[in-house]
Amino acid sequence: RRDGRAALNWLSEHKPDGGKIGLVGASMGGAVALMLASENHPDVIACATDCAFSSLKDVVGVRLDKMFPTTRLFGLDSFLPLHLAFVESICLVTKFWYGYDPARVGPREHLSDIKIPLLVVHSELDSVVPVAHGAQIFTGSGTPLGNKEFFVAKDTEHIGSYFKDEKEYSRRIVRFFEQVFTPSKSDLFVAGHKLPLDKTSKDTESNGQPGLMQGSDASAANAAAAASA
């Protein structure tokens, strides 16, 4: 988070006068982007994430449960999963040895502070960060429903959407930011380069739903159901 904040401050100081900033991040980078978005930096006006997690502790728990299913008492459906005790032990050791709590690594506690337009992309078959994390981010953010979108990429593993269909993935991300940034701006400043907005707009036009891995745009109700699953 400190690294991300330092990068954001540098970009804010070196961007064109009057320019604004959009955040993009995948997996842990997405979690960092969301935490930065919650700080309400005056130059940040939008955020897009791909397979971001809401809490690192939950990610560790899912991984341990899959790696060591026999740690559950009385079978896999037990109400006394021992892997949770392992997770708590890991958190205690991490706090003592490294000085941070995995339960506090992630944007979960700050989601309600996010007010800017938000695009949440998540892979349906994500075995590292389950899609429920994307649903929690979508439903928990303070962004009004009309200004946020939750997209689930079908039959795709963790951060696999881009590699499965780079063109359509890029179109969806670019289109989101084009809708947020003021069209009257003559140039789009991206990582030190200026891109003509007119050319970008033409290149990203498409009819109907993009063919991004036959994904689906999830409603708030679907997102809430996924979060509670």
Side-chain angles (χ1 to χ4, degrees):
R1 184 175 186 173
R2 290 192 294 268
D3 290 341
R5 189 181 293 123
L8 176 58
N9 290 336
W10 182 93
L11 183 58
S12 182
E13 294 174 1
H14 292 82
K15 65 178 177 57
D17 292 339
K20 296 298 181 181
I21 298 171
L23 303 174
V24 184
S27 193
M28 182 172 285
V32 172
L34 289 165
M35 288 188 283
L36 294 177
S38 71
E39 296 178 357
N40 298 308
H41 191 288
D43 291 330
V44 175
I45 62 172
C47 180
T49 68
D50 184 353
C51 295
F53 59 78
S54 58
S55 169
L56 181 59
K57 178 181 177 180
D58 289 353
V59 174
V60 173
V62 169
R63 176 56 55 183
L64 283 176
D65 193 24
K66 290 184 177 181
M67 292 175 63
F68 308 107
T70 54
T71 58
R72 288 177 180 267
L73 286 177
F74 311 116
L76 291 176
D77 296 327
S78 169
F79 289 102
L80 299 172
L82 284 180
H83 76 285
L84 295 181
F86 291 165
V87 172
E88 293 301 330
S89 299
I90 291 173
C91 289
L92 287 175
V93 171
T94 302
K95 283 189 286 186
F96 175 78
W97 196 260
Y98 297 104
Y100 74 92
D101 183 358
R104 299 179 65 85
V105 177
R108 177 177 293 170
E109 297 180 0
H110 311 284
L111 289 174
S112 61
D113 296 326
I114 299 175
K115 308 297 181 184
I116 58 177
L118 179 64
L119 171 62
V120 180
V121 177
H122 217 102
S123 299
E124 180 186 36
L125 304 181
D126 197 327
S127 62
V128 178
V129 181
V131 68
H133 282 254
Q136 291 169 4
I137 291 167
F138 178 81
T139 57
S141 71
T143 302
L145 282 176
N147 290 332
K148 60 183 176 181
E149 177 184 359
F150 182 39
F151 181 81
V152 179
K154 299 295 184 181
D155 302 321
T156 309
E157 249 290 358
H158 185 62
I159 57 173
S161 304
Y162 173 84
F163 301 99
K164 192 166 187 178
D165 196 331
E166 176 183 347
K167 185 176 181 180
E168 292 297 345
Y169 181 95
S170 300
R171 283 181 174 177
R172 178 172 284 271
I173 299 295
V174 171
R175 183 166 53 252
F176 166 73
F177 283 110
E178 279 193 335
Q179 293 172 348
V180 175
F181 282 83
T182 306
S184 61
K185 297 292 183 182
S186 59
D187 295 296
L188 181 64
F189 186 77
V190 181
H193 303 281
K194 288 185 177 182
L195 303 176
L197 275 179
D198 290 340
K199 182 180 185 304
T200 306
S201 299
K202 292 178 182 178
D203 289 346
T204 55
E205 288 178 356
S206 62
N207 296 323
Q209 281 288 343
L212 177 59
M213 287 68 68
Q214 297 182 342
S216 62
D217 294 283
S219 65
N222 291 336
S228 62

